[in-house]
Amino acid sequence: MRTLFKTLTLAAAIGITATANALTVGFAQVGSESGWRTSFSESVKAEAEKRGITLKFSDAQQKQENQIKAVRSFIAQRVDAILIAPVVETGWQPVLMEAKRARIPVVILDRNVSVTDQSLYITRIAPDFELEGQRAANWLTEKTAGKCAILELQGTVGSSAAIGRMKGFNDTIAKFPETKIVRSQTAEFTRSKGKEVMETMLKAEGGGKNICAIWAHNDEMALGAIQAVREAGLQPGKDILIVSVDAVDDALKSIIAGDINVSVELSPHLGGPAFDVINEFRAGKKDFEKWIRMGGAVYTQENAAAELVKRGAK
Ligand code: AHR
């Protein structure tokens, strides 16, 4: 009898431990607008599976209202933690307050939120978008000796990725009076819009003969723009330099082919660090840095091939 009791007690203890460890985490993702975004979603899903975490994944299709709905639904389901990769910076305070009132910790990934109360989220794990813009501009101004007419494809209006990259790039080229952005428009971080907007810009610029470079806020738009440049009878990477951000595998291949000239890396591997933060928080840690910075390299013809091999890309 005593043995049976002991066994039941042990089983109950194991059962309790298993339940306590089986976390449920909600993830409000922007969408699937780019190859980078897809890799980021895959990273979070794979990491959750590896750790035995139940992930509730929501694709907001680039709409903030969908994200807010998803977060409210995660709160109603009483998840253990919420990850948000915000579409735009503003408009987050009310729903983050709801999560805080429900005592559900929130981690911000990738793009930023603009809130007055910093205690509404534990931390943000993200790159430095402004630095990415600076690095892109540094490469371009060096390559063109500070003389260049640029067409800019912006990311989603109001997203911190677009705001930061634009600021970093513009502040850097401001030191070069003969480097100018002659046209700038959003293409929402997508390949199809990148092509469409670039076609219009090239037409408006008399076919693009006097354009020296395209500065795209991400690889996806750069890849779309390349098609437009080719259709305009020009050679991407030679007649018009292509400068971009993300350094996804397709962009590295395009660098090797000579179409994209440079891409500033943004790591999509945010899943591991995000779940580490949640675990540390649950274990009692409270003093997190408000911004955990992710770094990245700059890829050109010199190092793109080696990086592809390192990644084991097909
Ligand atoms: O917020 C990061 C940006 O969003 C990436 O550069 C882009 O590819 C994505 O869609």
Side-chain angles (χ1 to χ4, degrees), residues 30-38 40 62 85-87 109-112 127 129 132 155-156 159-162 165 188-190 217-221 245-248 264 266:
V30 168
S32 49
E33 73 285 358
S34 67
W36 180 84
R37 184 72 50 191
T38 305
F40 169 22
Q62 298 233 66
V87 178
L109 299 178
D110 174 34
R111 300 178 191 170
N112 209 355
F129 294 128
E132 291 171 349
T156 303
S159 70
S160 59
R165 285 171 190 167
E188 287 158 29
F189 283 127
T190 70
H217 288 191
N218 80 343
D219 288 340
E220 211 62 46
M221 295 188 293
V245 187
D246 280 352
V248 295
V264 181
L266 168 62

Side-chain angles (χ1 to χ4, degrees), residues 194-251:
K195 178 171 186 282
E196 194 185 305
V197 173
M198 192 45 59
E199 282 167 357
T200 312
M201 283 185 172
L202 288 172
K203 272 189 202 130
E205 286 300 320
K209 297 257 163 10
N210 296 323
I211 296 302
C212 142
I214 291 170
W215 153 230
H217 288 191
N218 80 343
D219 288 340
E220 211 62 46
M221 295 188 293
L223 291 163
I226 283 169
Q227 294 173 33
V229 170
R230 234 183 232 117
E231 283 169 20
L234 297 169
Q235 230 186 316
K238 295 206 171 59
D239 297 328
I240 297 187
L241 301 173
I242 312 283
V243 178
S244 172
V245 187
D246 280 352
V248 295
D249 293 356
D250 279 356

Side-chain angles (χ1 to χ4, degrees), residues 25-30 56-61 63-79 81-85 92 95 98-99 104:
V25 176
F27 178 24
Q29 175 61 293
V30 168
K56 293 183 179 287
F57 180 84
S58 165
D59 176 330
Q61 300 183 347
K63 292 200 172 80
Q64 186 188 34
E65 70 246 41
N66 292 344
Q67 290 200 297
I68 291 177
K69 267 188 215 148
V71 173
R72 291 211 164 106
S73 140
F74 297 149
I75 295 171
Q77 293 172 68
R78 307 266 342 130
V79 297
I82 297 174
L83 305 175
I84 305 175
W92 288 101
V95 78
E98 289 166 38
I104 300 176

